[in-house]
Amino acid sequence: MKKILSIAMLLVLVLSMAIVPASAAERTNVLTLDTTEFWLEFGIKGGISKHVIEYMFDGVAYYNSNDASTYCDNQVADGKNPYKDGTIMKYDIDGDPGAKETPYYAGIQLKLDKVYTVDGFKMYVASAINGIIDTTNFDGVDILVSKTGEAGSWTKVYSETELVCGKKYKIETTTLEDGTELQTCYIEADFAPIEAQFIAYGLTDSRCTANWEKIVATGIFEAKGKEVPADYDAYFNTVRPDYWRVAEIQLFEADPNNPVAPTTTAAPATTAAPATTAAPATTAAPATTAAPATTAAPAQTPTTADMMPIACVALMMAAAACLMLRRKFN
């Protein structure tokens, strides 16, 4: 009996060692310097010295205001005054300018070396100050993916507004070799697996401008050790709301062995195909592209990662039981 219990304990320990590392598996980011190329940008002013597209996928996933190689600087082409008074030009995700109903002040498209099945993204923006989201971050953005990059092919996998005003950014701390701690704001989301060779972002709001009370409520002025400006006009004159920065964009390849629970449901194609093919009866088929009904049930279909802690606890309890039984038979 003692021999049987010893063998059982050994098996439990071996299984525990095999399971624990699996729960910490890292996701594969397909947006790298080796796989990605710049494809298109629109609504962005040229001639900016720090405007280097490659910095957004060079593997440096943090923001350092003292190191321009950690971020890509951008400016809305029309400048700050049209942005403030509402006369600024807007575009669709393909970069076509239009009336005010088009959603984006500016945006960019990146192309991958091949089609990947992807299921999540993470986008590092600019800084946080003493744990408070900095108002220099942009306030609204859409993330879209496409298999072909053609008009009408884009699927919106993330859309959020009031990121600053609503304090919706998350904050990640990076410690440099000299001990400097950097706080970088980021957004992220997981979605149902989808084939994509292109990823794009469209800026729906640059700086936090929607509500002066909300800007003050972020607490960023106190965090910076500055007095709160008297009103929005006074604030506007001290910043450039037409500027924004992106430190890094990551796009994660779907792993069929470790599926993720979607935090957002991929919307149907959000851009209209050319007029000759834009008949709703033949193109508007959200049920075949978004498939929310089959993916939006994380509570009922736990992922492998969700099950790992349960499996580990069960194995630990089994080991404890074997130990108690062995002591009893001793």
Side-chain angles (χ1 to χ4, degrees), residues 23-37:
S23 65
E26 293 187 2
R27 303 173 74 177
T28 300
N29 170 35
V30 297
L31 274 180
T32 69
L33 288 174
D34 294 330
T35 62
T36 309
E37 63 176 308

Side-chain angles (χ1 to χ4, degrees), residues 130-313:
N130 296 325
I132 305 297
I133 298 165
D134 197 339
T135 52
T136 59
N137 293 300
F138 57 70
D139 208 35
V141 69
D142 289 353
I143 304 294
L144 306 96
V145 297
S146 168
K147 185 176 180 179
T148 64
E150 298 175 354
S153 69
W154 292 94
T155 298
K156 188 187 301 181
V157 295
Y158 176 87
S159 182
E160 192 58 84
T161 59
E162 292 200 340
L163 285 164
V164 173
C165 284
K167 302 187 212 178
K168 297 176 183 177
Y169 280 109
K170 298 178 182 178
I171 298 173
E172 188 170 296
T173 301
T174 301
T175 303
L176 304 183
E177 292 183 356
D178 62 2
T180 302
E181 287 192 349
L182 302 172
Q183 295 180 336
T184 306
C185 292
Y186 70 93
I187 53 177
E188 63 179 350
D190 298 321
F191 42 85
I194 184 173
E195 288 187 322
Q197 190 172 3
F198 294 82
I199 180 172
Y201 75 78
L203 204 69
T204 57
D205 197 0
S206 183
R207 297 286 176 87
C208 179
T209 60
N211 187 303
W212 175 238
E213 287 74 18
K214 287 186 177 181
I215 297 174
V216 174
T218 63
I220 189 60
F221 300 109
E222 294 85 349
K224 289 182 175 181
K226 296 182 178 180
E227 292 186 4
V228 178
D231 52 30
Y232 177 69
D233 285 335
Y235 164 72
F236 184 84
N237 292 329
T238 64
V239 297
R240 293 300 301 265
D242 50 327
Y243 273 90
W244 77 97
R245 289 173 173 174
V246 176
E248 191 81 359
I249 306 175
Q250 298 175 344
L251 184 64
F252 300 121
E253 186 173 18
D255 182 353
N257 296 318
N258 291 284
V260 298
T263 56
T264 181
T265 301
T270 56
T271 55
T276 56
T277 60
T282 58
T283 59
T288 60
T289 56
T294 60
T295 58
Q300 297 177 11
T301 55
T303 65
T304 303
D306 295 331
M307 295 300 296
M308 289 304 174
I310 299 174
C312 290
V313 171

Side-chain angles (χ1 to χ4, degrees), residues 68-83:
S69 69
T70 65
Y71 59 85
C72 176
D73 210 0
N74 302 279
Q75 182 188 5
V76 175
D78 286 352
K80 71 172 186 176
N81 290 325
Y83 178 84

